[in-house]
């Protein structure tokens, strides 16, 4: 699992978290919706799965470019730590989890 999480930069996710929280509470403040812990948790799960899917898919698409660039050649897919197929499966699983959260 650690290998798959290396496809997603944790520091970037932490950076994005305040923006998601601001959007969540701004939406609550400007509408008639009430605060529910379950809703906050679902929003956080949506943010995490959406970021995971987007960043892993970007790494999957850029794997050939990353392999020839000395600065990015040691990323997980070009370095062979994770196969391109497994990165794509990780992306699809996160997309499926995100779509399930949106249905709820």
């Amino acid at each position: 699992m650690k290998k798959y999480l290396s496809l997603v930069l944790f520091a970037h996710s932490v950076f994005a978290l305040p923006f998601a929280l601001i959007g969540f509470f701004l939406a609550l403040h400007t509408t008639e919706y009430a605060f529910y812990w379950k809703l906050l948790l679902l929003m956080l799960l949506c943010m995490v799965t959406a970021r995971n899917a987007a960043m892993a898919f970007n790494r999957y698409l850029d794997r050939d470019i990353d392999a020839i660039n000395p600065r990015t050649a040691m990323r997980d897919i070009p370095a062979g730590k994770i196969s391109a197929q497994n990165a794509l499966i990780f992306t699809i699983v996160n997309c499926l989890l995100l779509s399930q959260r949106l249905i709820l």
Side-chain angles (χ1 to χ4, degrees), residues 3-17:
K3 288 182 181 180
Y4 291 103
L5 293 178
S6 66
L7 290 171
V8 180
L9 297 174
F10 182 72
H12 290 190
S13 297
V14 171
F15 178 77
L17 183 61

Side-chain angles (χ1 to χ4, degrees), residues 27-83:
L28 289 179
H29 181 73
T30 58
T31 64
E32 296 178 12
Y33 287 99
F35 174 83
Y36 294 104
W37 284 104
K38 180 182 176 183
L39 190 61
L40 176 64
L41 180 63
L42 289 173
M43 183 276 302
L44 291 173
L45 288 172
C46 284
M47 187 201 91
V48 168
T49 55
R51 286 194 51 77
N52 286 351
M55 292 183 78
F57 191 57
N58 182 50
R59 294 288 172 91
Y60 172 78
L61 289 179
D62 288 347
R63 67 190 183 278
D64 296 332
I65 298 168
D66 289 344
I68 59 175
N69 184 344
R71 185 180 65 83
T72 58
M74 293 310 297
R75 287 186 176 165
D76 294 328
I77 299 172
K81 296 176 187 173
I82 295 177
S83 70

